[in-house]
Amino acid sequence: MKKAILSLAVILINFSVISAQTDGSTSTQQDSVVVIKENNLPKKNNIKFSLTSLIFNNYQFQYERSLTKRIGVVIGYSFIPKGAVLYKSQLSDLTSGSSDTQGMFDNTELGYTAITPEVRFYVGKGYGKGFYIAPFYRNLKYDVTGVRFTYTNQIGGKDNIDMGGKLSANTFGLQFGAQFNLGKHLILDWWIAGAHYGTSQGNFVGVTSRTLTAFEQNELQKELDKIELPLSDVNAKANANGATINISGPWAGVRSGISLGYRF
């Protein structure tokens, strides 16, 4: 009897050990499968910073989220800190290149912000990789001060008036580009080309330190009438306290550049 009980106890102990080993092995295998699955999951988020826009003192950031393998949404924000206008001589040449515009932008300061949401349709590997087509909307705002107009005063000398104000535009466009992996987490986003078109509205004001005579208002009006903006409606009026400029019309542009990003 004692031998039977002892044999039964040995069998039960061995069964418990085998069962524990089996459970531990199964748990380890399950944990390994979970880790493998997590490592194989596509990374659906990335943040990017434009490299090429830095040439123009423009800081551009983007966040992208993959909704499906082929579709992603992007929100972009860019800004130019308020400061002196870059390439002033080239800007003067673009306006007319005449002596009338000399010094017009010497004291000009410009600030800029833009918000650009877009939807990307990937035709390559997907999940934020490969060639894409992206319809987008852009809202941009310019803050401009210190655009100088010189006019003849009452005694035949020269006086200046500095104009400033804000211009905003809303456009829609289509972006073509491609996004590549540079490593496990680094990515390169190439904006090949993205034309956009819409409307703009701007209001600018200049105030003189004294009341202008009728003669001076007329002289200032002559300078304001020289403003030429292709396809835009410019309404510039001199008054006793200075001048106002209202601009409205189409707005167009092209997006292109290279961004470096981090995928996670």
Side-chain angles (χ1 to χ4, degrees):
M1 183 67 177
K2 291 182 180 180
K3 291 183 179 180
I5 294 173
L6 181 60
S7 299
L8 179 61
V10 171
I11 292 172
L12 291 175
I13 292 172
N14 287 336
F15 179 78
S16 298
V17 171
I18 293 172
S19 177
Q21 290 176 344
T22 302
D23 292 342
S25 176
T26 303
S27 177
T28 302
Q29 290 176 354
Q30 289 176 345
D31 291 342
S32 299
V33 171
V34 170
V35 171
I36 291 173
K37 286 184 177 179
E38 288 180 350
N39 289 336
N40 288 335
L41 288 175
K43 296 178 175 62
K44 297 183 178 182
N45 304 280
N46 64 64
I47 53 176
K48 291 168 281 187
F49 176 70
S50 174
L51 302 177
T52 49
S53 65
L54 292 176
I55 300 173
F56 304 99
N57 199 32
N58 187 355
Y59 300 88
Q60 297 191 26
F61 303 88
Q62 281 189 327
Y63 167 73
E64 180 177 0
R65 168 72 179 180
S66 295
L67 300 181
T68 67
K69 182 177 181 179
R70 300 296 179 190
I71 301 175
V73 292
V74 181
I75 182 70
Y77 176 75
S78 62
F79 71 95
I80 297 176
K82 186 73 176 289
V85 176
L86 299 178
Y87 314 114
K88 293 179 182 178
S89 59
Q90 289 87 341
L91 186 58
S92 294
D93 292 339
L94 287 174
T95 53
S96 71
S98 68
S99 59
D100 295 328
T101 62
Q102 294 303 313
M104 177 179 287
F105 303 106
D106 285 352
N107 299 316
T108 300
E109 292 189 342
L110 174 117
Y112 163 90
T113 60
I115 298 176
T116 311
E118 63 183 74
V119 180
R120 291 190 174 184
F121 298 93
Y122 285 88
V123 298
K125 295 181 178 180
Y127 288 115
K129 291 181 285 185
F131 182 80
Y132 62 82
I133 301 171
F136 67 90
Y137 160 76
R138 167 166 278 197
N139 172 262
L140 60 86
K141 296 178 181 179
Y142 288 94
D143 181 5
V144 184
T145 56
V147 180
R148 176 165 295 177
F149 290 87
T150 301
Y151 62 95
T152 303
N153 60 30
Q154 188 69 37
I155 59 176
K158 295 293 183 181
D159 279 345
N160 299 315
I161 180 173
D162 287 344
M163 305 286 294
K166 299 182 185 298
L167 182 144
S168 62
N170 295 281
T171 62
F172 293 88
L174 191 64
Q175 181 78 42
F176 296 90
Q179 195 157 260
F180 312 94
N181 282 346
L182 296 181
K184 185 177 180 180
H185 293 286
L186 285 181
I187 57 173
L188 185 72
D189 188 3
W190 177 25
W191 302 354
I192 299 172
H196 54 107
Y197 182 84
T199 60
S200 66
Q201 179 72 45
N203 298 292
F204 301 87
V205 176
V207 179
T208 56
S209 59
R210 60 179 178 81
T211 301
L212 300 181
T213 66
F215 171 81
E216 291 169 332
Q217 292 179 49
N218 185 60
E219 291 298 306
L220 177 55
Q221 187 64 52
K222 291 179 182 178
E223 297 303 316
L224 297 174
D225 289 340
K226 296 176 182 178
I227 300 174
E228 294 184 5
L229 295 176
L231 304 178
S232 294
D233 182 15
V234 179
N235 184 12
K237 296 293 183 182
N239 56 62
N241 298 315
T244 60
I245 302 174
N246 299 313
I247 300 171
S248 61
W251 190 273
V254 176
R255 298 172 67 204
S256 183
I258 295 176
S259 294
L260 188 65
Y262 180 83
R263 188 191 303 277
F264 59 97

